[in-house]
Amino acid sequence: MSPSARRSLTAAGALALAALVPTAPTAQAAAAPQLVIDTDFPDPDVVVADGELWAYATNSSAGGNVQTASAASPEGPWTRQADALPELGDWARTGLTWAPEVAAQPDGTYVMYYTARDTASERQCIGTAVSDTPGGPFTPVGEGPLVCPADEGGAIDATTFTDDDGTPYLLYKNDGNAVGVDTWIYLQQLTPDGLSFAGDRVELLKQDRPEEGGLIEAPTLVKRDGDYVLFYSAGFYGDGSYFTGYATAPALTGPFTKSDEPLMNTDNTGIVGPGGQDVIPGKDGDWLAFHGVLSEDPLVRGMYVTPLRWDGSTPSVD
């Protein structure tokens, strides 16, 4: 199952980065989501660095491990850049590098969390790599993957979140649908350098609705109006059943309550299978980056952006 990413800019980071991102259109000027990368660029993660946006995506048939593109604003134009992760860790084999997440560190460096095939377990697992610049090249670190629960299907779709007190966390999904078990979105505290864990994992949310197709994935966590808002994707990633939902909680570890209706699906956006989302905080409003299916055979998923609006802690893209 392809991952989604995701990935969140942090509550604290949003304040620091807000002035660097162009403003979102007003509600009166709302427009349909814009296709900004019209070639295969699935599971986009977007970070802001020195006023520039950097996007990272799942590998594609074009080659390389981590697709990368840059732009001055969410609406682009986006320029393709070199493979951000030319070499994988020794534990991984090439060809299945999914849903990268890049997070800026307090010392000015960047950590990438990438999903790849673990040669020992033959499951998808999450590893780490570091770089002094957002464009890389990133260098793998560690003798093995950071997280790899092989008996639970492995782990995919890493994303980061930093709480108001500065504590960093990693969210990820066990790839349970690969082995016929529940798919949980987990939260686990990171060490200050982002390269190892400082606490046990906590279950946040799992699949429990028919329309989810037996899985949820691609977590993105933000904090708005005192609540924690967890975006996720569900359904089959390769067709119109894929959608983006969200759940809210008054505390970081939950309990999270899913919304009654999806944030985005094929019917309410006109985009086939919108998912793999990431939130880009802006000066006067947030943006949402996500992918949509441009072709099912061969599978091509392009990158879209749209303003993300809030009514308290309730998001919308209308």
Side-chain angles (χ1 to χ4, degrees):
M1 177 63 65
S2 174
S4 318
R6 48 209 96 188
R7 335 151 240 300
S8 66
L9 289 175
T10 67
L15 296 175
L17 298 175
L20 300 177
V21 182
T23 62
T26 65
Q28 291 77 14
Q34 301 174 60
L35 178 61
V36 293
I37 298 180
D38 63 0
T39 53
D40 197 44
F41 203 83
D43 309 313
D45 166 62
V46 181
V47 300
V48 184
D50 296 326
E52 189 171 21
L53 301 179
W54 288 84
Y56 312 87
T58 288
N59 68 307
S60 73
S61 59
N65 294 316
V66 172
Q67 299 188 81
T68 310
S70 62
S73 74
E75 298 172 286
W78 288 85
T79 301
R80 292 273 193 166
Q81 304 292 350
D83 184 355
L85 185 65
E87 301 292 334
L88 302 180
D90 291 340
W91 57 272
R93 66 176 172 86
T94 59
L96 293 168
T97 310
W98 295 350
E101 160 81 357
V102 173
Q105 302 303 302
D107 64 359
T109 62
Y110 296 84
V111 174
M112 175 184 287
Y113 303 89
Y114 65 96
T115 297
R117 182 57 54 96
D118 174 42
T119 57
S121 66
E122 284 300 314
R123 298 296 179 194
Q124 292 293 95
C125 298
I126 295 168
T128 53
V130 297
S131 175
D132 290 332
T133 63
F138 284 79
T139 302
V141 295
E143 296 181 358
L146 173 65
V147 55
C148 190
D151 59 340
E152 299 172 1
I156 68 174
D157 294 356
T159 187
T160 54
F161 174 76
T162 301
D163 210 353
D164 293 339
D165 63 1
T167 303
Y169 295 89
L170 191 75
L171 293 91
Y172 56 90
K173 165 211 171 182
N174 74 291
D175 204 17
N177 50 287
V179 295
V181 301
D182 286 336
T183 61
W184 280 97
I185 291 175
Y186 290 99
L187 174 82
Q188 196 160 359
Q189 184 179 336
L190 289 163
T191 54
D193 64 5
L195 297 177
S196 57
F197 289 124
D200 296 330
R201 69 183 188 178
V202 177
E203 295 175 341
L204 297 186
L205 205 64
K206 73 171 184 176
Q207 88 293 337
D208 58 8
R209 294 180 176 180
E211 65 270 22
E212 292 167 348
L215 74 144
I216 58 173
E217 56 190 21
T220 304
L221 184 64
V222 299
K223 191 174 184 182
R224 292 293 182 273
D225 201 37
D227 287 334
Y228 295 86
V229 183
L230 177 59
F231 298 92
Y232 61 89
S233 296
F236 175 58
Y237 66 92
D239 63 24
S241 70
Y242 208 55
F243 69 91
T244 300
Y246 68 94
T248 57
L252 177 62
T253 56
F256 281 85
T257 301
K258 293 178 181 178
S259 63
D260 292 333
E261 299 293 333
L263 177 69
M264 297 188 300
N265 61 17
T266 301
D267 289 340
N268 68 18
T269 64
I271 296 167
V272 178
Q277 73 297 316
D278 192 24
V279 176
I280 311 170
K283 181 180 179 181
D284 293 322
D286 294 339
W287 290 80
L288 196 69
F290 61 97
H291 70 239
V293 176
L294 304 181
S295 166
E296 292 187 20
D297 186 17
L299 180 60
V300 177
R301 292 168 289 172
M303 181 173 126
Y304 291 81
V305 297
T306 191
L308 178 63
R309 311 186 194 286
W310 296 94
D311 181 5
S313 59
T314 300
S316 69
V317 293
D318 298 329

